């Protein structure tokens, strides 16, 4: 006689798993909202021609460091879409460029940090993210900017080394330094609020706090790229 097939009825999902999934969704939604507010606040910072410096990548990168590169990609798309239907004047092209820029930086950084989960891994990931941002945006500005800005391609090519390269270096550098400074306190606050479990992204043997050298390094990077951004914007 054949035995009953025990696999026909799936096992119920455990309450703990369901609760964790709900916490993750709430956290990602909250990070999306914060990223959008930060994006709005960033509009107050002087831009360079038609380019705006934007600190929303810091929030999205923190989400990626905490929940992985897929989460960073989802937040990037969500924030860019909300921006497109609310305040953007560049429509789909602006949405596309926002997703590409933020995804290049945040997904690259969080993917590396997920594999090398240390302070060294964070630095390597963020530097790699900045490099990916610069390379990808040089390519896509060459491809897309003549279309949505109505500029001759030769004029855009001339701006690649003089405008797009330094702009994306400054933007990526500021977001990199700010992420290094803010990741630990933000995740600590999320853990205290119960939105992130104590075991999520637990620090390894390098310690749980920012040491003085790491803090000074991050502040030096931030100051360097902020000055660079202000020079590009013509403020100093």
């Amino acid at each position: 006689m054949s035995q009953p097939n025990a696999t026909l009825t799936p096992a119920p999902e455990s309450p703990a798993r369901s609760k964790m999934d709900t916490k993750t969704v709430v956290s990602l939604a909250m990070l999306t909202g914060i990223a959008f507010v930060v994006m709005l606040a960033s509009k107050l910072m002087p831009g360079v021609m038609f380019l705006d410096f934007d600190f929303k990548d810091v929030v999205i990168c923190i989400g990626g460091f905490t929940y992985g590169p897929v989460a960073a990609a989802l937040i990037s798309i969500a924030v860019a879409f909300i921006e497109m239907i609310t305040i953007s004047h560049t429509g789909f092209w602006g949405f596309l460029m926002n997703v590409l820029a933020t995804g290049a930086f945040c997904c690259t950084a969080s993917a590396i940090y997920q594999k090398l989960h240390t302070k060294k891994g964070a630095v390597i990931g963020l530097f790699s993210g900045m490099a990916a941002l610069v390379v990808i945006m040089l390519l896509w500005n060459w491809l897309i900017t003549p279309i949505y800005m109505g500029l001759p391609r030769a004029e855009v090519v001339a701006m690649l080394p003089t405008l797009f390269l330094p702009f994306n270096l400054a933007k990526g550098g500021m977001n990199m330094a700010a992420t290094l400074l803010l990741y630990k306190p933000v995740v600590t606050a999320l853990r205290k609020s119960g939105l992130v479990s104590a075991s999520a992204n637990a620090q390894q043997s390098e310690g749980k706090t920012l040491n003085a050298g790491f803090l000074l390094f991050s502040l030096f990077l931030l100051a360097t790229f902020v000055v660079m951004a202000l020079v590009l914007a013509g403020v100093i």
Side-chain angles (χ1 to χ4, degrees):
M1 179 183 292
S2 63
Q3 296 295 323
N5 189 343
T7 62
L8 291 178
T9 304
E13 185 179 16
S14 69
R17 175 65 179 276
S18 177
K19 185 177 180 181
M20 180 56 64
D21 288 343
T22 301
K23 283 183 178 182
T24 300
V25 171
V26 171
S27 295
L28 295 183
M30 181 181 67
L31 289 169
T32 299
I34 294 173
F36 181 74
V37 172
V38 170
M39 179 274 298
L40 291 176
S42 298
K43 300 294 184 183
L44 300 174
M45 184 173 179
V48 182
M49 293 179 65
F50 52 86
L51 302 172
D52 293 324
F53 292 104
D54 194 345
F55 281 97
K56 71 174 181 292
D57 288 2
V58 177
V59 180
I60 297 172
C61 217
I62 289 172
F65 276 18
T66 308
Y67 297 105
V70 173
L74 292 174
I75 300 173
S76 300
I77 294 170
V79 175
F81 179 77
I82 296 170
E83 180 178 355
M84 180 182 70
I85 64 176
T86 54
I87 66 167
S88 176
H89 300 291
T90 54
F92 172 76
W93 295 118
F95 167 79
L96 177 62
M97 298 298 272
N98 270 330
V99 171
L100 288 170
T102 303
F105 178 74
C106 298
C107 293
T108 300
S110 54
I112 292 174
Y113 184 65
Q114 193 174 50
K115 298 295 183 182
L116 185 60
H117 197 72
T118 60
K119 289 177 183 176
K120 179 180 178 181
V123 174
I124 292 173
L126 288 164
F127 267 107
S128 300
M130 183 174 67
L133 167 68
V134 170
V135 172
I136 288 175
M137 294 317 294
L138 283 176
L139 173 61
W140 280 92
N141 276 294
W142 173 70
L143 290 171
I144 300 299
T145 301
I147 299 173
Y148 81 90
M149 291 297 298
L151 298 173
R153 192 170 298 277
E155 186 175 335
V156 174
V157 170
M159 290 192 294
L160 291 178
T162 60
L163 174 63
F164 294 110
L165 175 61
F167 171 83
N168 285 298
L169 276 174
K171 176 183 174 180
M174 287 191 296
N175 282 300
M176 172 184 63
T179 301
L180 289 173
L181 286 169
L182 296 176
Y183 172 65
K184 182 62 185 176
V186 169
V187 172
T188 299
L190 288 173
R191 286 177 182 154
K192 289 181 178 179
S193 69
L195 291 174
V196 175
S197 66
S199 61
N201 282 341
Q203 295 293 320
Q204 295 183 359
S205 59
E206 291 191 44
K208 296 184 178 181
T209 58
L210 291 175
N211 59 46
F214 190 80
L215 180 62
L216 289 173
F217 170 73
S218 301
L219 288 171
F220 172 77
L221 284 179
L222 182 60
T224 299
F225 287 109
V226 166
V227 171
M228 182 178 177
L230 293 175
V231 170
L232 288 172
V235 176
I236 60 175

